[in-house]
Amino acid sequence: MKEEEIRPQKLKDEEILFYIEDIKELLKKKKDFVAVNCPACNSSDYKKSLEKYTLTYVTCNKCETTFVNPRPTPEMLSIFYDTSKRYAYWNKYIFPISEDARREKIFKPRAEKIIEICKRHNTKNSAIVDVGAGFGTFCEEVKKINFFNKVIAVEPSPDLAETCRKKGLEVINKGIEEVKFDYDIDVVTCFEVIEHLFSPKQFLLSCNSILSKNGVMVITCPNIKGFDVSILKEVSETVDTEHLNYFNLNSLSHLLETCGFEVIEKLTPGKLDAELVRKKILEGKFELNNQFLKSILLDRWAELGEKFQKFLSD
């Protein structure tokens, strides 16, 4: 998978203009941001580690989770996502033009992986809920497999929820914390959502509460200890105003366990880490001083790039 396939550069150049407008609106309320403890372990022992867009990113001394602190309130975040020009642009342009690639490279394999997990753990198949369904492509792919009796898209963003409806999906236009079901939910999926949330713990408790006995939750998010973020730090596009929480494998596992989950599998299956670092170097936005990495990411990229990415994933 190449970044250009899922985030075309010609559209990203325009998208950043809308993102800057979104940031300006959010930062107007910065004086009313609130301080929080670590979202993973609730520790108040942390140190400043990054700064970007005038926001402060701190790292927990106990579990090494990085998080924005102070941060926007839940009410501010709700308004931000409801009125975001950037998300409207993604919904209108980037998602449609990249959907075929996303479907084949991300969502079809992801749907197949979910079914494989369910079969391996003898999970029932009454209903699956995808929280933060976005453009709805994952739900479409799950429906095609015809494993679950019911596929439900939970999407708080009005524009994206409407897109999901137009695709014929069953949609709930709310946050999962506001949703109640009167039937069993056997699987909850949550892809690249938890990093955006004011209270990840409350979110996970809500997900747990709707799951049937022996139900399964599958969750993905950026890894603060991943190669691209570890190398690029604040230059990484993963570090932005929308991502408030940056977990690692151990800290996310701890949080899940405190919310009543048993962690049965952990993966770091990234496909773009090396390319993302290489791209920033080529754009002149990051200077790499490590000669060994230079030889892989620049001098011998055609020969070693794919092998190095596989090494990172493994």
Side-chain angles (χ1 to χ4, degrees):
M1 182 169 68
K2 304 298 181 187
E3 187 186 17
E4 178 67 20
E5 295 177 300
I6 60 171
R7 294 190 286 261
Q9 188 62 47
K10 63 181 180 181
L11 296 180
K12 280 189 69 181
D13 291 341
E14 188 170 0
E15 174 222 10
I16 194 66
L17 301 177
F18 294 111
Y19 181 42
I20 291 170
E21 289 187 46
D22 285 352
I23 293 172
K24 286 179 180 177
E25 287 300 312
L26 184 65
L27 292 179
K28 285 179 182 178
K29 304 168 185 174
K30 187 180 175 184
K31 65 180 178 62
D32 296 318
F33 286 9
V34 295
V36 297
N37 287 344
C38 174
C41 70
N42 200 38
S43 173
S44 59
D45 181 15
Y46 48 77
K47 60 189 174 186
K48 181 178 177 180
S49 53
L50 300 171
E51 186 166 321
K52 191 173 182 179
Y53 305 120
T54 76
L55 296 177
T56 299
Y57 299 74
V58 301
T59 298
C60 176
N61 288 322
K62 184 177 178 181
C63 72
E64 299 182 283
T65 295
T66 296
F67 55 104
V68 173
N69 199 24
R71 62 179 55 193
T73 66
E75 293 74 24
M76 292 177 193
L77 292 171
S78 178
I79 293 170
F80 175 81
Y81 287 111
D82 284 349
T83 61
S84 169
K85 294 181 179 179
R86 182 194 199 185
Y87 275 87
Y89 186 82
W90 270 86
N91 186 41
K92 189 173 181 180
Y93 297 106
I94 298 181
F95 280 140
I97 201 170
S98 64
E99 184 173 28
D100 288 346
R102 287 172 175 270
R103 186 184 300 279
E104 290 302 314
K105 301 292 178 74
I106 300 175
F107 294 114
K108 188 175 179 180
R110 194 173 271 178
E112 292 168 351
K113 178 68 175 176
I114 297 302
I115 306 307
E116 183 269 320
I117 290 171
C118 289
K119 289 180 177 178
R120 181 153 40 94
H121 293 284
N122 298 313
T123 306
K124 294 180 181 178
N125 63 342
S126 297
I128 180 173
V129 171
D130 185 36
V131 184
F135 205 64
T137 315
F138 171 74
C139 287
E140 287 184 300
E141 289 304 306
V142 170
K143 282 186 73 174
K144 286 179 186 176
I145 297 175
N146 202 29
F147 178 80
F148 294 99
N149 298 329
K150 207 171 185 63
V151 177
I152 304 141
V154 172
E155 176 48 59
S157 168
D159 288 347
L160 289 169
E162 182 58 27
T163 296
C164 289
R165 286 193 192 94
K166 288 178 179 177
K167 292 184 169 190
L169 298 171
E170 181 176 341
V171 183
I172 299 175
N173 183 205
K174 295 179 180 179
I176 193 65
E177 297 89 343
E178 305 170 69
V179 180
K180 302 293 181 186
F181 295 95
D182 55 8
Y183 48 85
D184 284 347
I185 304 298
D186 300 306
V187 179
V188 171
T189 54
C190 166
F191 305 118
E192 289 81 55
V193 171
I194 196 168
E195 64 269 24
H196 295 258
L197 305 176
F198 179 86
S199 176
K201 184 172 185 178
Q202 188 56 52
F203 171 80
L204 291 175
L205 288 170
S206 298
C207 290
N208 193 320
S209 71
I210 68 171
L211 272 172
S212 59
K213 186 178 180 180
N214 297 321
V216 169
M217 181 172 187
V218 179
I219 181 168
T220 69
C221 67
N223 176 11
I224 190 63
K225 294 191 176 184
F227 177 75
D228 55 325
V229 187
S230 296
I231 295 293
L232 295 174
K233 295 184 169 53
E234 65 273 7
V235 175
S236 168
E237 292 182 19
T238 295
V239 179
D240 67 16
T241 56
E242 298 170 13
H243 294 171
L244 304 179
N245 316 294
Y246 301 82
F247 299 103
N248 55 66
L249 280 176
N250 291 332
S251 69
L252 181 57
S253 296
H254 172 80
L255 176 59
L256 285 161
E257 287 165 353
T258 61
C259 292
F261 290 95
E262 176 191 359
V263 178
I264 55 177
E265 189 171 359
K266 295 186 276 188
L267 301 171
T268 54
K271 298 181 184 297
L272 293 175
D273 311 50
E275 183 188 344
L276 293 174
V277 175
R278 169 181 161 82
K279 183 178 177 183
K280 291 299 180 186
I281 297 169
L282 293 175
E283 289 173 347
K285 296 177 180 177
F286 183 77
E287 184 176 352
L288 185 62
N289 296 316
N290 185 300
Q291 191 57 47
F292 173 71
L293 289 179
K294 271 186 180 179
S295 68
I296 295 173
L297 299 177
L298 298 177
D299 305 337
R300 301 174 64 187
W301 176 253
E303 174 194 358
L304 297 177
E306 188 175 333
K307 294 175 183 177
F308 184 62
Q309 181 60 59
K310 185 178 185 304
F311 161 76
L312 292 173
S313 299
D314 290 345

